[in-house]
């Protein structure tokens, strides 16, 4: 089973976003900024700033991750060429889930 980011959905809706989580006594805010990085295919850099508040203390952690997206046809061809048979495809706006067997 494979999950991949769907390039059409990702690159057509390239918006920044913010999320807040509150596990226990902590408040964690993730501020995300996306930048296209097309040097190696459908890739983009995800810049995330994690702001962790606990009591009177605030800590900030920065993370940069380069992610790869695929078009549906591209991932289907890639899996076929590497010996996988596709049993099921579940396509959503930004994610394609594939059930395969080798």
């Amino acid at each position: 089973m494979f999950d991949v980011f769907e390039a059409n959905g990702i690159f057509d809706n390239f918006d920044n976003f913010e999320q807040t989580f509150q596990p226990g006594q902590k408040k964690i805010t993730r501020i995300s900024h996306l930048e296209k990085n097309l040097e190696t295919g459908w890739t983009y850099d995800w810049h995330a700033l994690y702001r962790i508040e606990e009591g009177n203390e605030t800590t900030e952690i920065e993370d940069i991750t380069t992610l790869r997206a695929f078009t549906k046809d591209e991932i289907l061809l890639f899996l076929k060429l590497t010996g996988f048979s596709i049993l099921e495809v579940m396509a959503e706006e930004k994610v394609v889930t594939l059930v395969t067997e080798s």
Side-chain angles (χ1 to χ4, degrees), residues 20-36:
T20 300
F21 311 92
Q22 292 189 306
Q25 300 300 314
K26 293 182 184 182
K27 177 181 177 185
I28 302 171
T29 303
R30 177 170 60 193
I31 303 165
S32 297
H33 170 71
L34 306 177
E35 291 180 13
K36 293 176 185 171

Side-chain angles (χ1 to χ4, degrees), residues 10-60:
I10 295 292
F11 285 91
D12 280 349
N13 300 295
F14 215 68
D15 297 325
N16 298 325
F17 58 95
E18 185 174 310
Q19 298 165 293
T20 300
F21 311 92
Q22 292 189 306
Q25 300 300 314
K26 293 182 184 182
K27 177 181 177 185
I28 302 171
T29 303
R30 177 170 60 193
I31 303 165
S32 297
H33 170 71
L34 306 177
E35 291 180 13
K36 293 176 185 171
N37 173 356
L38 302 175
E39 292 181 26
T40 57
W42 295 112
T43 54
Y44 60 99
D45 297 329
W46 177 15
H47 299 261
L49 173 67
Y50 293 87
R51 185 172 296 128
I52 304 163
E53 299 174 45
E54 187 170 19
N56 293 328
E57 286 193 33
T58 300
T59 305
E60 291 188 347

Side-chain angles (χ1 to χ4, degrees), residues 75-90:
I75 194 63
L76 290 173
L77 177 59
F78 178 78
L79 290 171
K80 177 183 170 185
L81 292 175
T82 54
F84 288 89
S85 298
I86 307 300
L87 302 177
E88 186 176 354
V89 177
M90 295 165 276

